[in-house]
Amino acid sequence: MVSQSNAKNSNICHIEAANPDGQRYREDMTDKERADYENLILLCVDHHTETDDVHKYTVATLKKMKDEHEAKIASRNLGRSPSMLKVAINKISEIGLSGLKDTDASKSFNITTKLDYNGVTNKRRLINDLKVYYHKLNTLYDELDRAGSLRKENLLDNIRHIYLDVSGRYIGQSDDYMPIIRQHSDSIFEEVFNELLQLVDFGDVSLEELSPALRVVMVDAFMRCKILEEPI
């Protein structure tokens, strides 16, 4: 799609159109939502034209394509720099958020059960692809526990805090929140990641280097029920 000298063959495209005469336009979206990363996909010129076929390329189809590609790239990039997991742990644990000692951080669930219970669809491939790093991450957590560090607890508390804040925007005052969570689980998961990116101090580490490791930490937090809800 790109060369070292130019990027003329790549288009940043809207999944749901920015204008009423565009493909997959949704009237009840805000302009901010239309311009948000969640609604954008990078395509070559030929495929940009091909996606004008709204019957073949639905919103769900395009989002699935995007998520599957991101999962593949995240896994590949993390394989090149596995030390980034330790960097991600340190940086997330240093975020200054209120502690939330509300659930057992050692508890985890069958990942398929958790995905099904929360109605996760678009993020399913990402979570399944990155769960292979669970044991590596656990080894790092064990090292921290043996050293008497609270970084693991702080990290999980911070992610839980972000999740409760994001999900609360969807749930509002509703007591019957699970149907709302299931309807918006993919968006909630992505918003937690975006909030994390805003809060983490990258320092001298690039977004490209750290982002895959942050994804892995999020998948682990998902399995520990710090993100989305615990299956009954």
Side-chain angles (χ1 to χ4, degrees):
M1 292 178 67
V2 298
S3 70
Q4 292 181 343
S5 61
N6 68 73
K8 66 181 181 181
N9 292 324
S10 59
N11 291 169
I12 298 175
C13 314
H14 291 86
I15 294 174
E16 296 181 77
N19 301 307
D21 58 347
Q23 286 74 30
R24 294 168 297 274
Y25 179 79
R26 179 156 60 90
E27 190 172 347
D28 61 353
M29 287 184 82
T30 65
D31 287 340
K32 182 178 179 180
E33 288 172 331
R34 293 187 181 101
D36 191 66
Y37 176 80
E38 184 73 7
N39 191 46
L40 302 177
I41 186 170
L42 190 66
L43 298 171
C44 69
V45 175
D46 290 343
H47 280 104
H48 190 184
T49 302
E50 186 177 327
T51 57
D52 286 350
D53 183 348
V54 297
H55 300 292
K56 181 178 180 180
Y57 294 99
T58 63
V59 171
T61 298
L62 290 174
K63 287 189 174 183
K64 182 180 179 182
M65 287 169 54
K66 176 181 176 179
D67 286 331
E68 289 184 350
H69 181 70
E70 287 187 345
K72 181 175 70 174
I73 297 302
S75 183
R76 186 183 71 186
N77 288 349
L78 187 59
R80 293 173 177 170
S81 185
S83 63
M84 278 296 114
L85 277 176
K86 184 174 288 188
V87 176
I89 290 171
N90 291 336
K91 289 189 175 295
I92 298 173
S93 67
E94 291 167 356
I95 297 173
L97 299 177
S98 301
L100 296 167
K101 307 292 183 182
D102 62 331
T103 57
D104 180 3
S106 67
K107 186 189 299 182
S108 62
F109 292 85
N110 176 279
I111 198 163
T112 302
T113 301
K114 181 87 184 285
L115 290 166
D116 290 342
Y117 182 74
N118 285 277
V120 177
T121 54
N122 293 336
K123 299 300 175 186
R124 204 178 188 96
R125 170 69 182 273
L126 176 77
I127 292 170
N128 276 316
D129 276 14
L130 297 185
K131 69 181 181 183
V132 297
Y133 293 96
Y134 173 79
H135 295 295
K136 172 65 175 175
L137 192 57
N138 247 10
T139 299
L140 294 175
Y141 284 159
D142 289 343
E143 290 175 5
L144 291 172
D145 287 342
R146 286 194 294 271
S149 172
L150 294 177
R151 286 189 179 276
K152 171 185 171 183
E153 287 75 14
N154 290 341
L155 175 149
L156 293 170
D157 286 344
N158 283 338
I159 290 179
R160 180 65 177 176
H161 185 104
I162 295 169
Y163 164 67
L164 292 176
D165 182 54
V166 170
S167 62
R169 300 172 202 162
Y170 288 84
I171 296 167
Q173 301 300 314
S174 174
D175 292 325
D176 187 19
Y177 58 84
M178 273 315 301
I180 302 172
I181 293 292
R182 291 190 182 106
Q183 182 182 356
H184 299 287
S185 57
D186 291 298
S187 295
I188 290 171
F189 189 92
E190 191 62 22
E191 284 190 36
V192 171
F193 180 70
N194 291 336
E195 291 278 344
L196 204 54
L197 292 181
Q198 296 297 318
L199 292 167
V200 163
D201 179 10
F202 281 82
D204 57 356
V205 181
S206 71
L207 173 63
E208 183 180 13
E209 289 176 308
L210 190 59
S211 180
L214 293 179
R215 288 284 193 188
V216 170
V217 173
M218 278 195 56
V219 169
D220 177 79
F222 166 83
M223 295 172 69
R224 297 171 190 268
C225 290
K226 296 299 182 180
I227 302 174
L228 298 182
E229 299 300 308
E230 175 182 332
I232 296 176

